[in-house]
Amino acid sequence: MGRGKAQRKGAAAWLLLPYVLFLAVLPLVNRVTPTVAGLPFLFFWMLLATLLTPLAVWLAWRGDLRRARSQAPGPADERGRG
């Protein structure tokens, strides 16, 4: 039972990543200089956060799917019931 909660917290942590990238770090990255790839740093940061958000959601989904598979009853569990 404890392992399922730990896996659930891990999946939820991936969903916090977009919040951290877009809002929590914003005061630290609100800079015009330096420029990265010809973009002001803030624009580059927002582009990077936008590209990383689907990855974080996919990782959370994958962790949730693994947790569901590990909690699903297997063939041995079905035979024991009667």
Side-chain angles (χ1 to χ4, degrees):
M1 195 72 151
R3 185 174 180 207
K5 285 186 179 184
Q7 287 177 343
R8 187 178 313 144
K9 287 181 181 179
W14 284 115
L15 294 177
L16 286 174
L17 182 68
Y19 167 77
V20 170
L21 289 175
F22 279 108
L23 296 177
V25 184
L26 190 60
L28 302 174
V29 298
N30 190 9
R31 308 274 185 267
V32 174
T33 56
T35 59
V36 180
L39 296 171
F41 188 70
L42 179 61
F43 289 170
F44 173 75
W45 184 265
M46 288 296 153
L47 177 65
L48 183 69
T50 302
L51 295 175
L52 289 177
T53 296
L55 176 67
V57 172
W58 177 77
L59 287 169
W61 172 78
R62 194 180 93 186
D64 196 38
L65 187 63
R66 281 187 180 175
R67 183 176 55 86
R69 284 182 184 164
S70 70
Q71 292 179 351
D77 294 336
E78 293 297 325
R79 283 183 272 150
R81 296 181 185 174

